[in-house]
Amino acid sequence: MGGMTTSSVPPAETSARTEPDLQAPERAMLEGWLEYHRETLAQKCSGLTDEEVKRAAVPTSELTLLGLQRHLSEVERWWFVTVFAGGTDEGVYGTEEDPDGDFHFGPQDTYAEALATWRGEVAAARAAAAGHGLDELGVGTARGGRHFSLRWIYTHMIEEYARHNGHADLLREAIDGATGA
């Protein structure tokens, strides 16, 4: 594919994912599972080239590992920063003209940039949730003007990552046959 870089994607981390403590209190359990799923996504993309993370496994789908990484940057910002903390409704990749911009990228877009952006959005999400109780309602709204508790947001984010990590499993297997993790 002309114009696409073939540089290798940086490794996710040198250490393995940490499974959540089986006896942790609720907050630690929710945070542990969310962190586990965050790092699962990073591991699914680890070691591939920019060309590989941009590859759709199904010709009729725009779903790619790069798109998933960018999408989850959007989701982190939306739920933690916009809906919970009341930040501005400004997309990371999506625009009014292209709300699905997270899945639309060009040859200049790299996984290294997407990974750095995602890590920044995860840090902002952690900061937005810090010091708040699980029953606390966000100051921003979504889905018809409703306020969401931090507990609901954590639970939803675990579901969001788990679903997309299933997609990532299939995409990665189609790229190089890697399964598991």
Side-chain angles (χ1 to χ4, degrees), residues 102-121:
D102 39 356
F103 291 103
H104 304 146
F105 43 81
Q108 76 284 359
D109 295 307
T110 67
Y111 182 73
E113 178 278 325
L115 182 63
T117 298
W118 173 75
R119 290 209 185 280
E121 294 303 329

PDB file of all heavy atoms in Angstrom, residues 102-121:
ATOM      1  N   ASP A 102     -12.670   8.546  14.408  1.00  0.00           N
ATOM      2  CA  ASP A 102     -11.751   7.626  15.067  1.00  0.00           C
ATOM      3  C   ASP A 102     -11.450   6.411  14.191  1.00  0.00           C
ATOM      4  O   ASP A 102     -10.371   5.836  14.263  1.00  0.00           O
ATOM      5  CB  ASP A 102     -12.271   7.193  16.442  1.00  0.00           C
ATOM      6  CG  ASP A 102     -13.767   6.951  16.529  1.00  0.00           C
ATOM      7  OD1 ASP A 102     -14.490   7.186  15.545  1.00  0.00           O
ATOM      8  OD2 ASP A 102     -14.227   6.522  17.597  1.00  0.00           O
ATOM      9  N   PHE A 103     -12.391   6.043  13.341  1.00  0.00           N
ATOM     10  CA  PHE A 103     -12.186   4.895  12.454  1.00  0.00           C
ATOM     11  C   PHE A 103     -11.713   5.299  11.060  1.00  0.00           C
ATOM     12  O   PHE A 103     -11.455   4.446  10.221  1.00  0.00           O
ATOM     13  CB  PHE A 103     -13.481   4.075  12.349  1.00  0.00           C
ATOM     14  CG  PHE A 103     -13.811   3.366  13.630  1.00  0.00           C
ATOM     15  CD1 PHE A 103     -14.806   3.847  14.473  1.00  0.00           C
ATOM     16  CD2 PHE A 103     -13.114   2.237  14.012  1.00  0.00           C
ATOM     17  CE1 PHE A 103     -15.102   3.203  15.666  1.00  0.00           C
ATOM     18  CE2 PHE A 103     -13.398   1.588  15.199  1.00  0.00           C
ATOM     19  CZ  PHE A 103     -14.393   2.075  16.036  1.00  0.00           C
ATOM     20  N   HIS A 104     -11.604   6.597  10.818  1.00  0.00           N
ATOM     21  CA  HIS A 104     -11.158   7.100   9.510  1.00  0.00           C
ATOM     22  C   HIS A 104      -9.793   7.746   9.675  1.00  0.00           C
ATOM     23  O   HIS A 104      -9.652   8.723  10.406  1.00  0.00           O
ATOM     24  CB  HIS A 104     -12.171   8.114   8.967  1.00  0.00           C
ATOM     25  CG  HIS A 104     -13.546   7.565   8.877  1.00  0.00           C
ATOM     26  ND1 HIS A 104     -14.664   8.332   9.087  1.00  0.00           N
ATOM     27  CD2 HIS A 104     -14.002   6.315   8.615  1.00  0.00           C
ATOM     28  CE1 HIS A 104     -15.753   7.585   8.948  1.00  0.00           C
ATOM     29  NE2 HIS A 104     -15.367   6.352   8.674  1.00  0.00           N
ATOM     30  N   PHE A 105      -8.820   7.199   9.017  1.00  0.00           N
ATOM     31  CA  PHE A 105      -7.458   7.707   9.161  1.00  0.00           C
ATOM     32  C   PHE A 105      -6.757   7.636   7.821  1.00  0.00           C
ATOM     33  O   PHE A 105      -7.217   6.974   6.902  1.00  0.00           O
ATOM     34  CB  PHE A 105      -6.683   6.914  10.228  1.00  0.00           C
ATOM     35  CG  PHE A 105      -6.914   5.426  10.134  1.00  0.00           C
ATOM     36  CD1 PHE A 105      -6.234   4.656   9.222  1.00  0.00           C
ATOM     37  CD2 PHE A 105      -7.846   4.815  10.965  1.00  0.00           C
ATOM     38  CE1 PHE A 105      -6.474   3.301   9.123  1.00  0.00           C
ATOM     39  CE2 PHE A 105      -8.086   3.451  10.886  1.00  0.00           C
ATOM     40  CZ  PHE A 105      -7.398   2.695   9.959  1.00  0.00           C
ATOM     41  N   GLY A 106      -5.647   8.315   7.725  1.00  0.00           N
ATOM     42  CA  GLY A 106      -4.884   8.348   6.491  1.00  0.00           C
ATOM     43  C   GLY A 106      -3.503   7.763   6.673  1.00  0.00           C
ATOM     44  O   GLY A 106      -3.137   7.316   7.768  1.00  0.00           O
ATOM     45  N   PRO A 107      -2.713   7.802   5.614  1.00  0.00           N
ATOM     46  CA  PRO A 107      -1.370   7.224   5.675  1.00  0.00           C
ATOM     47  C   PRO A 107      -0.458   7.922   6.681  1.00  0.00           C
ATOM     48  O   PRO A 107       0.472   7.322   7.184  1.00  0.00           O
ATOM     49  CB  PRO A 107      -0.831   7.368   4.252  1.00  0.00           C
ATOM     50  CG  PRO A 107      -1.827   8.147   3.485  1.00  0.00           C
ATOM     51  CD  PRO A 107      -3.054   8.308   4.298  1.00  0.00           C
ATOM     52  N   GLN A 108      -0.727   9.182   6.987  1.00  0.00           N
ATOM     53  CA  GLN A 108       0.093   9.931   7.942  1.00  0.00           C
ATOM     54  C   GLN A 108      -0.195   9.556   9.389  1.00  0.00           C
ATOM     55  O   GLN A 108       0.604   9.842  10.277  1.00  0.00           O
ATOM     56  CB  GLN A 108      -0.097  11.439   7.742  1.00  0.00           C
ATOM     57  CG  GLN A 108      -1.399  11.996   8.298  1.00  0.00           C
ATOM     58  CD  GLN A 108      -2.661  11.692   7.473  1.00  0.00           C
ATOM     59  OE1 GLN A 108      -2.617  11.058   6.425  1.00  0.00           O
ATOM     60  NE2 GLN A 108      -3.807  12.133   7.976  1.00  0.00           N
ATOM     61  N   ASP A 109      -1.329   8.921   9.658  1.00  0.00           N
ATOM     62  CA  ASP A 109      -1.700   8.556  11.026  1.00  0.00           C
ATOM     63  C   ASP A 109      -0.948   7.301  11.454  1.00  0.00           C
ATOM     64  O   ASP A 109      -0.903   6.317  10.728  1.00  0.00           O
ATOM     65  CB  ASP A 109      -3.215   8.338  11.115  1.00  0.00           C
ATOM     66  CG  ASP A 109      -3.985   9.615  10.851  1.00  0.00           C
ATOM     67  OD1 ASP A 109      -3.692  10.620  11.524  1.00  0.00           O
ATOM     68  OD2 ASP A 109      -4.865   9.612   9.978  1.00  0.00           O
ATOM     69  N   THR A 110      -0.374   7.361  12.654  1.00  0.00           N
ATOM     70  CA  THR A 110       0.436   6.250  13.144  1.00  0.00           C
ATOM     71  C   THR A 110      -0.131   5.670  14.435  1.00  0.00           C
ATOM     72  O   THR A 110      -0.845   6.351  15.179  1.00  0.00           O
ATOM     73  CB  THR A 110       1.886   6.694  13.427  1.00  0.00           C
ATOM     74  OG1 THR A 110       1.878   7.606  14.534  1.00  0.00           O
ATOM     75  CG2 THR A 110       2.524   7.335  12.196  1.00  0.00           C
ATOM     76  N   TYR A 111       0.241   4.441  14.684  1.00  0.00           N
ATOM     77  CA  TYR A 111      -0.167   3.819  15.936  1.00  0.00           C
ATOM     78  C   TYR A 111       0.540   4.472  17.116  1.00  0.00           C
ATOM     79  O   TYR A 111      -0.058   4.635  18.180  1.00  0.00           O
ATOM     80  CB  TYR A 111       0.090   2.310  15.923  1.00  0.00           C
ATOM     81  CG  TYR A 111      -0.399   1.695  17.214  1.00  0.00           C
ATOM     82  CD1 TYR A 111      -1.758   1.556  17.451  1.00  0.00           C
ATOM     83  CD2 TYR A 111       0.475   1.317  18.217  1.00  0.00           C
ATOM     84  CE1 TYR A 111      -2.232   1.049  18.653  1.00  0.00           C
ATOM     85  CE2 TYR A 111       0.011   0.805  19.414  1.00  0.00           C
ATOM     86  CZ  TYR A 111      -1.337   0.668  19.620  1.00  0.00           C
ATOM     87  OH  TYR A 111      -1.800   0.185  20.812  1.00  0.00           O
ATOM     88  N   ALA A 112       1.791   4.867  16.940  1.00  0.00           N
ATOM     89  CA  ALA A 112       2.510   5.517  18.037  1.00  0.00           C
ATOM     90  C   ALA A 112       1.752   6.762  18.502  1.00  0.00           C
ATOM     91  O   ALA A 112       1.610   7.008  19.708  1.00  0.00           O
ATOM     92  CB  ALA A 112       3.931   5.868  17.619  1.00  0.00           C
ATOM     93  N   GLU A 113       1.232   7.547  17.577  1.00  0.00           N
ATOM     94  CA  GLU A 113       0.450   8.737  17.930  1.00  0.00           C
ATOM     95  C   GLU A 113      -0.836   8.325  18.622  1.00  0.00           C
ATOM     96  O   GLU A 113      -1.217   8.904  19.638  1.00  0.00           O
ATOM     97  CB  GLU A 113       0.147   9.572  16.676  1.00  0.00           C
ATOM     98  CG  GLU A 113      -0.699  10.810  16.940  1.00  0.00           C
ATOM     99  CD  GLU A 113      -2.204  10.557  17.029  1.00  0.00           C
ATOM    100  OE1 GLU A 113      -2.721   9.672  16.304  1.00  0.00           O
ATOM    101  OE2 GLU A 113      -2.865  11.218  17.854  1.00  0.00           O
ATOM    102  N   ALA A 114      -1.533   7.326  18.085  1.00  0.00           N
ATOM    103  CA  ALA A 114      -2.794   6.874  18.676  1.00  0.00           C
ATOM    104  C   ALA A 114      -2.569   6.324  20.079  1.00  0.00           C
ATOM    105  O   ALA A 114      -3.373   6.572  20.993  1.00  0.00           O
ATOM    106  CB  ALA A 114      -3.449   5.819  17.785  1.00  0.00           C
ATOM    107  N   LEU A 115      -1.491   5.593  20.280  1.00  0.00           N
ATOM    108  CA  LEU A 115      -1.179   5.033  21.601  1.00  0.00           C
ATOM    109  C   LEU A 115      -0.887   6.151  22.593  1.00  0.00           C
ATOM    110  O   LEU A 115      -1.391   6.135  23.725  1.00  0.00           O
ATOM    111  CB  LEU A 115       0.011   4.075  21.509  1.00  0.00           C
ATOM    112  CG  LEU A 115       0.430   3.375  22.804  1.00  0.00           C
ATOM    113  CD1 LEU A 115      -0.682   2.464  23.320  1.00  0.00           C
ATOM    114  CD2 LEU A 115       1.715   2.580  22.578  1.00  0.00           C
ATOM    115  N   ALA A 116      -0.107   7.145  22.185  1.00  0.00           N
ATOM    116  CA  ALA A 116       0.204   8.273  23.068  1.00  0.00           C
ATOM    117  C   ALA A 116      -1.071   9.055  23.407  1.00  0.00           C
ATOM    118  O   ALA A 116      -1.280   9.443  24.569  1.00  0.00           O
ATOM    119  CB  ALA A 116       1.238   9.187  22.425  1.00  0.00           C
ATOM    120  N   THR A 117      -1.926   9.261  22.435  1.00  0.00           N
ATOM    121  CA  THR A 117      -3.190   9.961  22.675  1.00  0.00           C
ATOM    122  C   THR A 117      -4.050   9.167  23.634  1.00  0.00           C
ATOM    123  O   THR A 117      -4.608   9.715  24.601  1.00  0.00           O
ATOM    124  CB  THR A 117      -3.931  10.206  21.348  1.00  0.00           C
ATOM    125  OG1 THR A 117      -3.115  11.040  20.526  1.00  0.00           O
ATOM    126  CG2 THR A 117      -5.288  10.842  21.561  1.00  0.00           C
ATOM    127  N   TRP A 118      -4.173   7.862  23.402  1.00  0.00           N
ATOM    128  CA  TRP A 118      -4.965   7.003  24.277  1.00  0.00           C
ATOM    129  C   TRP A 118      -4.428   7.039  25.705  1.00  0.00           C
ATOM    130  O   TRP A 118      -5.188   7.191  26.656  1.00  0.00           O
ATOM    131  CB  TRP A 118      -4.978   5.582  23.713  1.00  0.00           C
ATOM    132  CG  TRP A 118      -5.616   4.558  24.590  1.00  0.00           C
ATOM    133  CD1 TRP A 118      -6.952   4.382  24.823  1.00  0.00           C
ATOM    134  CD2 TRP A 118      -4.942   3.562  25.351  1.00  0.00           C
ATOM    135  NE1 TRP A 118      -7.148   3.331  25.681  1.00  0.00           N
ATOM    136  CE2 TRP A 118      -5.927   2.805  26.021  1.00  0.00           C
ATOM    137  CE3 TRP A 118      -3.598   3.230  25.522  1.00  0.00           C
ATOM    138  CZ2 TRP A 118      -5.603   1.747  26.851  1.00  0.00           C
ATOM    139  CZ3 TRP A 118      -3.280   2.167  26.350  1.00  0.00           C
ATOM    140  CH2 TRP A 118      -4.280   1.438  27.002  1.00  0.00           C
ATOM    141  N   ARG A 119      -3.129   6.922  25.862  1.00  0.00           N
ATOM    142  CA  ARG A 119      -2.539   6.957  27.209  1.00  0.00           C
ATOM    143  C   ARG A 119      -2.832   8.298  27.889  1.00  0.00           C
ATOM    144  O   ARG A 119      -3.100   8.339  29.088  1.00  0.00           O
ATOM    145  CB  ARG A 119      -1.048   6.673  27.160  1.00  0.00           C
ATOM    146  CG  ARG A 119      -0.753   5.209  26.787  1.00  0.00           C
ATOM    147  CD  ARG A 119       0.537   4.725  27.392  1.00  0.00           C
ATOM    148  NE  ARG A 119       0.879   3.382  26.959  1.00  0.00           N
ATOM    149  CZ  ARG A 119       0.362   2.267  27.467  1.00  0.00           C
ATOM    150  NH1 ARG A 119      -0.550   2.317  28.391  1.00  0.00           N
ATOM    151  NH2 ARG A 119       0.760   1.084  27.015  1.00  0.00           N
ATOM    152  N   GLY A 120      -2.819   9.381  27.120  1.00  0.00           N
ATOM    153  CA  GLY A 120      -3.177  10.689  27.667  1.00  0.00           C
ATOM    154  C   GLY A 120      -4.630  10.751  28.099  1.00  0.00           C
ATOM    155  O   GLY A 120      -4.954  11.314  29.155  1.00  0.00           O
ATOM    156  N   GLU A 121      -5.515  10.169  27.299  1.00  0.00           N
ATOM    157  CA  GLU A 121      -6.944  10.155  27.653  1.00  0.00           C
ATOM    158  C   GLU A 121      -7.200   9.252  28.855  1.00  0.00           C
ATOM    159  O   GLU A 121      -8.052   9.564  29.695  1.00  0.00           O
ATOM    160  CB  GLU A 121      -7.792   9.725  26.458  1.00  0.00           C
ATOM    161  CG  GLU A 121      -7.771  10.709  25.306  1.00  0.00           C
ATOM    162  CD  GLU A 121      -8.222  12.111  25.660  1.00  0.00           C
ATOM    163  OE1 GLU A 121      -9.084  12.280  26.561  1.00  0.00           O
ATOM    164  OE2 GLU A 121      -7.705  13.053  25.041  1.00  0.00           O
TER     165      GLU A 121
END
